[in-house]
């Protein structure tokens, strides 16, 4: 997230004395990415962010891979995942590789007794169902249906839901999640041809700093282990911060589709970029307007990427029997395309109401045990009619 932003109080000059009303010094924290060589923020805490008072026994939360290698079209009924009370326990990895982990979650409860920090991965949480507020050191972000919450690794957060009815599609990225480079100016502004711009990006609103001493558990995920680290001060004791690294929200409903006279290729839907994978948004849009256009996609061989589609809402012109929360996985190596009849059916249609999130990975994905439980085994034969 390259845009400079500032909230609350910060000293006139960085790394200089910044004093509290009682004369003591605020604690400055540099939050930097890619070592000290990329975007960063400076946060000012009432207390040092370093006061550890206890450590729990670590928990192994590595995904349980069931299929390391395969070559078959797959389909998973995401909404068959049972809701779980606790947020962290509700996150179920389904498709994983060394670049990203894709999870589903149906959490029922807000986090109240602990905080979470993903020390390995930027997180993109797509909100399919539910509303609430993401509480972070940088402030609060309210969220609703269709929001992408993009949380940089290392950011401490607590997620609060308004109701027990929530469905999330989560991508953990082991490299920074950024806008596609082709949409950025030399200095990082989103260009005129970008499908979204700075006005669409919602930044956190800093809440009053919480000055509290006690026992605050930050569940910290690193290399597949969850470490319970207890701190002596509330982590949201920030009076001000500035910089270019912070969590933000972008609604899929603010993604402006790029359309054309003939079928546009998948990169027009790209929303975020990361190392070895992309995240795309398929949103309601006008269909191709060449008089002979075929709005349904052509058969395609994504020779070097696995293609994951998460179906959110609306009708899908190229597929039958689509359910909300369904995931399809079309692996690299075999072509896929519209279901029988879908091509003819699409001709003459003026628009589509489809809403979906796509993750294309440049290395094969592995399937977890949890994915197999959700699988629709008939899918692979669904073109043979
Ligand atoms: Fe495809």
């Amino acid at each position: 997230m390259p845009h400079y932003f500032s909230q609350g109080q910060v000293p006139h000059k960085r790394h200089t004395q910044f004093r509290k009303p009682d004369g003591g010094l605020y604690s400055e924290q540099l939050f930097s990415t890619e070592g000290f060589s990329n975007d960063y923020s400076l946060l000012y805490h009432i207390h040092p962010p370093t006061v550890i008072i206890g450590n729990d026994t670590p928990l192994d939360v590595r995904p349980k891979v069931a299929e390391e290698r395969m070559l078959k079209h797959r389909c998973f009924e995401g909404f068959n995942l049972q809701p779980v009370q606790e947020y962290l326990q509700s996150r179920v990895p389904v498709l994983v590789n060394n670049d990203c982990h894709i999870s589903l979650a149906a959490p029922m409860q807000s986090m109240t007794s602990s905080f979470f920090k993903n020390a390995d991965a930027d997180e993109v949480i797509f909100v399919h169902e539910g509303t609430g507020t993401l509480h972070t050191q940088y402030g609060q972000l309210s969220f609703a249906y269709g929001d992408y919450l993009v949380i940089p690794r290392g950011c401490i957060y607590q997620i609060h839901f308004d109701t027990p009815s929530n469905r999330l599609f989560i991508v953990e990225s082991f490299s920074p999640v950024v806008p596609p480079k082709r949409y950025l100016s030399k200095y990082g502004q989103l260009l005129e041809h970008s499908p979204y711009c700075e006005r669409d990006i919602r930044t956190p609103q800093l809440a009053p700093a919480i000055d509290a001493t006690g026992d605050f558990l930050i569940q910290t995920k690193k290399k597949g282990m969850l470490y319970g680290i207890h701190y002596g001060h509330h982590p949201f004791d920030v009076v001000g911060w500035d910089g270019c690294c912070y969590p933000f929200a972008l609604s899929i409903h603010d993604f402006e589709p790029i359309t054309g006279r003939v079928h546009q290729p998948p990169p027009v839907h790209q929303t975020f970029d990361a190392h070895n994978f992309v995240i795309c948004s398929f949103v309601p849009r006008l269909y191709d307007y060449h008089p002979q256009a075929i709005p349904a996609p052509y058969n395609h061989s994504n020779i070097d990427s696995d293609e994951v589609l998460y179906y959110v809402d609306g009708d899908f012109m190229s597929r039958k029997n689509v359910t909300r929360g369904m995931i399809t996985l079309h692996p690299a190596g075999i072509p896929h395309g519209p279901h029988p009849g879908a091509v003819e059916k699409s001709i003459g249609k003026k628009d589509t109401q489809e809403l979906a999130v796509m993750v294309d990975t440049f290395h094969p994905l592995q399937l977890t045990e949890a994915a197999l439980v959700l699988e629709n085994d008939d899918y692979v034969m669904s073109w043979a009619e």
Side-chain angles (χ1 to χ4, degrees), residues 74-150:
R74 312 297 283 257
C75 177
F76 311 96
E77 299 288 350
F79 274 22
N80 285 353
L81 185 76
Q82 291 305 304
V84 167
Q85 296 287 335
E86 205 265 327
Y87 170 67
L88 291 181
Q89 287 173 11
S90 78
R91 293 162 48 120
V92 177
V94 285
L95 301 170
V96 299
N97 69 12
N98 288 334
D99 302 308
C100 65
H101 287 182
I102 298 171
S103 298
L104 293 167
M108 299 175 74
Q109 284 178 350
S110 298
M111 293 182 83
T112 49
S113 57
S114 68
F115 305 83
F116 180 54
K117 174 163 79 174
N118 194 329
D120 281 329
D122 287 21
E123 296 197 345
V124 178
I125 301 175
F126 177 78
V127 180
H128 192 166
E129 288 187 350
T131 57
T133 307
L134 183 75
H135 296 254
T136 77
Q137 293 173 293
Y138 298 82
Q140 301 178 355
L141 279 164
S142 59
F143 61 82
Y145 165 58
D147 279 338
Y148 291 106
L149 299 171
V150 182

Side-chain angles (χ1 to χ4, degrees), residues 251-270:
S251 173
I252 197 169
H253 308 301
D254 284 328
F255 184 91
E256 297 301 328
I258 297 170
T259 59
R261 251 167 61 96
V262 294
H263 193 81
Q264 297 293 295
V268 299
H269 306 284
Q270 190 183 352

Side-chain angles (χ1 to χ4, degrees), residues 300 307 330 336:
H300 47 289
E307 184 185 296
H330 300 136
H336 66 278

Side-chain angles (χ1 to χ4, degrees), residues 12 15 27 50 144 191 213 271-272 286 291 336 342:
H12 177 64
H15 319 321
S27 283
T50 47
L191 293 167
T213 299
T271 311
F272 300 114
L286 295 178
H336 66 278

